Amino acid sequence: MTPLLRRDRVFDFLAPPLPPDALLDTRHGPILYLEDISVSFDGFKALDDLSLYIDDGELRCIIGPNGAGKTTMMDVITGRTRPDTGSAWFGSRVDLLRLDEPAIAGAGIGRKFQKPTVFEKLSVVQNLELACHGDKAVWRTLLAALDADQRATVAGVLDTIGLAGHAHREAGALSHGQKQWLEIGMLLTQRPRLLLLDEPVAGMTQEEIERTAELFRALAGAHSVVVVEHDMEFVRSIANKVTVLHEGRVLVEGDMQAVQNDPRVIEVYLGE
Amino acid sequence: MITRWLMNDRGGAVMLGVLLLAALVVPLANLGIGADSPLHVSTYTVTLLGKYLCYAVLALALDLVWGYCGVLSLGHGAFFALGGYAMGMYLMRQIGERGVYGNPLLPDFMVFLNWERLPWYWHGFDMFWFALVMVALAPGLLAFVFGWLAFRSRVTGVYLSIITQALTYALMLAFFRNEMGFGGNNGLTDFKDLLGFDLQADATRVSLFLASAALLAIAYVACRHITGSRLGRVVVAVRDAENRARFLGYRVENYKLWVFTFSAVLAGLAGALYVPQVGIINPSEFQPLNSIELVIWVAVGGRGTLWGAAAGAVLVNYAKTSFTAVLPEVWLFALGALFVLTTLLLPRGLAGLLRNRGEAR
Ligand SMILES: Nc1ncnc2c1ncn2[C@@H]1O[C@H](COP(=O)(O)OP(=O)(O)OP(=O)(O)O)[C@@H](O)[C@H]1O
Ligand SMILES: [Mg+2]
């Protein structure tokens, strides 16, 4: 453990941000290790000894009935909720439980919220610029404009998410599906290694869903992608491997075909 | 570049224009035109205007943290008062032997309390540059420490507002105490001169008015520069979706802290120019009501616009001056009614009203 990572919620005005990839070590396979994670809210166990491994470059879908603990799991990975027990590692060297949210984002984990969250008063392009990779210290944002590399990233992503025609519109004026895309775009300009996407296609039209599926498939490989989704059609169209969460634990893991035919999964979903 | 943002900021351009005009006309009408002419502007009015301008700077400071950063401070008057006290201490030391007791070193109230020596924290205030540093440092440091504790613990919303209010209240109680060495409930007063210029002289009053106008213009440009930079957009992002900003890698606490500290320094500068014009600083400047009135100025003017906040400060205080001259008891009710009406009918303040007009056209 380097001393640099031992700062838990410390004001690091002067410390340089974590250099991307310098600390991420995925030589041992998985990019994300969650082991025996438990989280309880007032005695209610939202996560119960959850263990999950995501391989580098993998596209993983996570499904499960309402209240299964999917969002809570993402909260643990991104530093929003501290688990009661267990460990969470990003690569084999970054201990996520020792970092706060900005440090985790800086280490290369991007997250889309379940409820699409963009900066409504800012324009689409300003949203993307804010998310863009680079130094996020106060003085830098006051004094330095975006460099050419960052501007190219923003322009590229603006095309990818199909909002080039809306670049200067206020984000608050976008449709629900467009906001979802904008938020996904913000993750992309952030250049994370691992993307956590909580219900990314909710509120999208069929056509938008298909384009999103395409985008995610293209992202896998260079990125690791974890998608939480209720839309089974969508999951089927992108998934190699599916994890079913139920009552805070992993119920079944496997390919879509096997998972769908598993009697335990059928019971959980029919029992709803 | 400056011309470009003035084009995009009509309200700001108008405000700076009016300031410039006032800076040209008011001195002329006071010093250049005889008292018997109807065009003459009395020294009393000049000082009143200078006071309004200091309030406008204070309103700008609050608008930056409240309108842009979403931090509703109900204690910003404390930073204003601290800047005022720092200036007051300089002015006290300037009195020298001319005090009632004729003590060359100790201000009158210390002689009255039978103090033998100048307290350590009064040293250095005989030098103007030192006082100026303290004008910025005292409120800045307080804001930094307070903000560091509050923002790091992620205190937000109403809770934060309440503790800022408690902060100014606690300071008021402390400054009331004679042992604190700031003149107790009488505060600091009977100032004679500033940098050797007689504070009662018309020319000094006009200069203070001009300094206030210059401070307002500089403060406005500085605030506009911040809100127009990437930093300004991060701050708006923090206001509207704090968690989203945090998960994008922004240390939200640091952003709030720096904006809050900058704002406090600005408030301190305003207080420092206010004190020589009104001739007194006492603990009542810390009273919570002042900070709440300040919030009303900004709300009436239109928060999140900067120039609206400054205009709100001038207009509400003009109303206050006129009102208290006729019906002093009713003013607080009128102020309350004004606040309720703006909240209900003009959520974006007068600036919002003007903007809607502009858009409708
Ligand atoms: N902050 C909290 N306080 C109390 N209970 C919580 C909190 N957050 C989550 N829970 C509970 O933990 C359980 C898991 O919630 P979570 O949001 O992780 O479910 P989910 O799988 O994302 O469900 P959905 O599909 O509805 O989004 C739920 O029963 C929820 O009520
Ligand atoms: Mg959820």
Side-chain angles (χ1 to χ4, degrees):
Chain A
M1 195 78 228
T2 61
L4 191 63
L5 293 177
R6 292 201 168 266
R7 54 204 173 118
D8 187 19
R9 306 219 161 141
V10 164
F11 282 81
D12 58 339
F13 303 120
L14 303 167
L18 296 178
D21 294 347
L23 295 159
L24 186 61
D25 181 357
T26 55
R27 280 171 302 177
H28 303 289
I31 194 169
L32 182 72
Y33 302 72
L34 296 182
E35 276 167 357
D36 306 326
I37 300 267
S38 292
V39 172
S40 48
F41 297 111
D42 311 319
F44 170 77
K45 280 213 155 182
L47 292 182
D48 185 10
D49 268 342
L50 174 76
S51 293
L52 186 76
Y53 306 90
I54 307 291
D55 280 330
D56 194 16
E58 184 181 354
L59 172 54
R60 174 79 63 96
C61 286
I62 296 183
I63 60 174
N66 293 111
K70 307 179 294 290
T71 301
T72 307
M73 179 194 77
M74 292 198 170
D75 285 345
V76 169
I77 299 169
T78 53
R80 186 180 198 175
T81 301
R82 296 286 174 201
D84 305 327
T85 60
S87 55
W89 290 80
F90 184 44
S92 53
R93 279 202 271 164
V94 180
D95 183 353
L96 293 173
L97 302 186
R98 287 190 178 282
L99 301 181
D100 63 359
E101 299 98 322
I104 289 171
I109 298 183
R111 172 183 187 179
K112 197 201 84 64
F113 291 108
Q114 180 162 351
K115 176 175 175 290
T117 312
V118 294
F119 304 120
E120 310 241 326
K121 285 282 155 64
L122 299 175
S123 72
V124 168
V125 71
Q126 285 174 340
N127 267 273
L128 294 174
E129 285 172 0
L130 269 184
C132 204
H133 59 87
D135 192 349
K136 285 171 176 163
V138 179
W139 298 111
R140 289 288 296 186
T141 57
L142 178 62
L143 301 173
L146 293 188
D147 62 30
D149 178 29
Q150 290 171 315
R151 270 181 278 124
T153 309
V154 169
V157 168
L158 205 49
D159 274 335
T160 310
I161 58 173
L163 291 177
H166 301 280
H168 296 287
R169 261 178 88 190
E170 232 180 52
L174 297 177
S175 73
H176 194 79
Q178 285 172 324
K179 279 186 195 167
Q180 295 272 38
W181 260 351
L182 177 55
E183 198 177 358
I184 294 168
M186 287 161 74
L187 295 197
L188 297 181
T189 56
Q190 212 184 329
R191 282 201 191 150
R193 287 290 301 273
L194 170 65
L195 289 98
L196 306 174
L197 302 149
D198 204 346
E199 306 198 10
V201 299
M204 284 191 185
T205 63
Q206 195 52 45
E207 194 197 329
E208 288 172 329
I209 292 180
E210 276 160 29
R211 283 181 55 192
T212 309
E214 224 167 87
L215 173 64
F216 288 1
R217 282 194 300 260
L219 286 175
H223 305 77
S224 311
V225 184
V226 176
V227 181
V228 164
E229 210 18 275
H230 285 294
D231 186 327
M232 288 305 162
E233 197 65 40
F234 178 73
V235 171
R236 203 170 295 124
S237 71
I238 61 168
N240 303 317
K241 196 168 169 188
V242 177
T243 299
V244 184
L245 237 56
H246 179 53
E247 291 177 347
R249 318 165 142 267
V250 174
L251 187 68
V252 184
E253 208 165 75
D255 66 41
M256 190 63 189
Q257 196 65 34
V259 163
Q260 271 185 312
N261 296 327
D262 191 296
R264 287 169 297 177
V265 177
I266 294 170
E267 192 194 316
V268 164
Y269 271 92
L270 288 180
E272 262 199 323
Chain B
M1 197 197 94
I2 286 187
T3 44
R4 204 183 62 216
W5 71 247
L6 280 184
M7 295 269 284
N8 292 329
D9 177 24
R10 290 247 299 286
V14 169
M15 186 189 109
L16 292 176
V18 169
L19 266 182
L20 185 65
L21 195 69
L24 294 173
V25 170
V26 170
L28 202 68
N30 177 257
L31 300 173
I33 299 177
D36 41 2
S37 158
L39 290 176
H40 176 77
V41 171
S42 72
T43 305
Y44 172 79
T45 310
V46 172
T47 297
L48 197 62
L49 291 174
K51 216 174 90 173
Y52 292 166
L53 294 182
C54 293
Y55 288 147
V57 175
L58 178 58
L60 272 188
L62 182 74
D63 195 24
L64 196 62
V65 287
W66 182 32
Y68 288 87
C69 202
V71 175
L72 174 53
S73 166
L74 289 180
H76 246 53
F79 305 122
F80 182 81
L82 280 177
Y85 264 98
M87 177 57 88
M89 286 162 80
Y90 165 77
L91 296 171
M92 285 309 264
R93 299 282 316 259
Q94 290 305 294
I95 297 173
E97 297 174 346
R98 289 169 291 173
V100 177
Y101 298 107
N103 189 312
L105 193 60
L106 297 189
D108 279 348
F109 74 87
M110 291 185 194
V111 182
F112 183 77
L113 292 171
N114 292 321
W115 289 13
E116 311 267 276
R117 290 196 336 208
L118 199 65
W120 60 269
Y121 47 84
W122 273 80
H123 285 281
F125 277 96
D126 50 332
M127 291 172 285
F128 187 67
W129 68 265
F130 182 84
L132 269 194
V133 170
M134 295 317 277
V135 156
L137 201 63
L141 206 61
L142 176 68
F144 189 86
V145 172
F146 176 86
W148 195 80
L149 294 170
F151 298 139
R152 194 187 52 154
S153 323
R154 302 200 179 172
V155 180
T156 53
V158 184
Y159 299 100
L160 188 80
S161 301
I162 290 172
I163 57 173
T164 54
Q165 177 104 103
L167 172 76
T168 193
Y169 189 66
L171 282 169
M172 178 179 76
L173 296 182
F175 274 74
F176 262 126
R177 305 188 68 87
N178 281 328
E179 315 87 272
M180 280 285 286
F182 294 107
N185 59 349
N186 294 322
L188 311 175
T189 187
D190 289 331
F191 308 133
K192 303 281 191 262
D193 47 31
L194 180 124
L195 288 172
F197 296 103
D198 179 8
L199 279 175
Q200 305 309 321
D202 289 352
T204 313
R205 294 302 183 99
V206 166
S207 306
L208 285 169
F209 165 79
L210 289 176
S212 309
L215 177 66
L216 179 56
I218 293 169
Y220 182 81
V221 172
C223 289
R224 187 52 82 202
H225 182 75
I226 290 176
T227 60
S229 72
R230 273 204 300 147
L231 171 63
R233 293 197 284 279
V234 178
V235 163
V236 168
V238 168
R239 178 193 71 190
D240 292 344
E242 184 168 325
N243 269 323
R244 178 71 275 176
R246 200 171 262 142
F247 287 109
L248 287 177
Y250 289 100
R251 286 192 183 276
V252 167
E253 301 77 20
N254 292 1
Y255 280 85
K256 288 184 180 175
L257 182 60
W258 284 114
V259 172
F260 191 67
T261 305
F262 175 79
S263 165
V265 169
L266 212 52
L269 291 172
L273 267 175
Y274 174 82
V275 165
Q277 301 190 71
V278 297
I280 183 168
I281 173 82
N282 62 29
S284 69
E285 289 298 336
F286 284 107
Q287 63 178 322
L289 185 61
N290 283 18
S291 298
I292 293 171
E293 278 198 54
L294 162 60
V295 169
I296 299 178
W297 309 340
V298 176
V300 168
R303 75 178 172 120
T305 60
L306 295 179
W307 58 268
V314 174
L315 290 175
V316 175
N317 279 291
Y318 176 69
K320 182 178 181 176
T321 309
S322 321
F323 221 91
T324 43
V326 219
L327 290 167
E329 321 78 43
V330 189
W331 167 245
L332 272 187
F333 295 100
L335 190 68
L338 185 65
F339 186 53
V340 172
L341 287 178
T342 356
T343 318
L344 292 178
L345 303 176
L346 289 177
R348 289 161 69 208
L350 295 173
L353 192 70
L354 289 178
R355 199 174 283 168
N356 289 346
R357 278 270 176 74
E359 276 160 16
R361 220 181 290 137

